[in-house]
Amino acid sequence: MNSQNNATSTDQSDSSVSIDTVAANDNFATDTLGNEIVDSDNGVDLAAVFEPYFRPDANTIVCGALDDEKVVALAKSGVELVINLQPDDELSFDEAAAVERAGMSYEHLPINGAAELKQLKILAFDNILRQYHGKKIAMHCGSGNRVGAAIALRAGWLRGRKMDTAMERGRSHGLTKLEQEVHNRLLVPR
């Protein structure tokens, strides 16, 4: 994925700001109006490290499963918190220890597929995001799909966003295969 074409939109408050992520050797990027903005990743080209990679806003990174190299890249880029939605049986190494060794905080909230996309999990997810509001975070599962689902459900159930807005928030955070399931869950009043 070419990082210069990886346009991103929306932030934690759902406003529409669009920025381009920065290539590894650049010190700045430009927004959609051509205004210069500061490199928020300390020169690390995260788009070259992660596949899949979503960047819904300057302080949020959504990606697939991590390994030691990816943890180091996140730390170098200035990430302060890693949120892992993978259950233990999907992990191939001691992720908590690697993240903490790299100087970042770690939160583990396992979501094992669509069956666990329940309001209590989304409330726990929301609590984590509120605790670290304004911090640079990386959220991941195996592909970003569960992260996107959790974001969409949070937007709809807890933030009162309309269906289209909640679904778009989810897609910007990696929602793909669980899209119909999330849509169906958002139809049920909470």
Side-chain angles (χ1 to χ4, degrees), residues 19-177:
I19 62 172
D20 289 335
T21 55
V22 181
N25 297 325
D26 291 342
N27 293 325
F28 65 90
T30 57
D31 64 16
T32 55
L33 300 175
N35 300 316
E36 218 172 89
I37 56 174
V38 178
D39 170 12
S40 64
D41 293 332
N42 300 322
V44 178
D45 184 6
L46 294 172
V49 175
F50 294 98
E51 179 61 39
Y53 173 76
F54 301 92
R55 195 62 181 263
D57 62 65
N59 280 335
T60 307
I61 297 154
V62 179
C63 58
L66 300 182
D67 58 28
D68 284 317
E69 176 187 332
K70 292 174 181 176
V71 168
V72 169
L74 290 173
K76 285 182 180 178
S77 75
V79 167
E80 298 171 76
L81 169 69
V82 173
I83 302 172
N84 175 10
L85 299 186
Q86 290 182 282
D88 288 334
D89 63 351
E90 290 183 18
L91 300 177
S92 60
F93 74 115
D94 188 349
E95 184 173 310
V99 167
E100 289 166 3
R101 264 194 317 273
M104 298 177 288
S105 297
Y106 183 76
E107 294 284 346
H108 189 205
L109 180 67
I111 296 177
N112 194 9
E116 291 192 11
L117 289 171
K118 297 183 178 188
Q119 193 167 24
L120 284 176
K121 288 276 186 176
I122 303 308
L123 284 167
F125 182 66
D126 180 64
N127 186 43
I128 293 167
L129 292 177
R130 285 175 178 271
Q131 286 178 47
Y132 291 92
H133 179 74
K135 305 290 185 187
K136 187 170 182 179
I137 63 172
M139 299 183 277
H140 82 89
C141 54
S143 66
N145 191 36
R146 284 171 278 187
V147 172
I151 288 290
L153 292 170
R154 176 183 187 240
W157 287 346
L158 305 180
R159 302 283 187 195
R161 302 294 186 251
K162 292 181 181 178
M163 176 71 75
D164 290 346
T165 302
M167 294 301 291
E168 183 51 40
R169 292 273 300 145
R171 285 189 288 273
S172 74
H173 286 74
L175 177 62
T176 55
K177 296 175 193 165

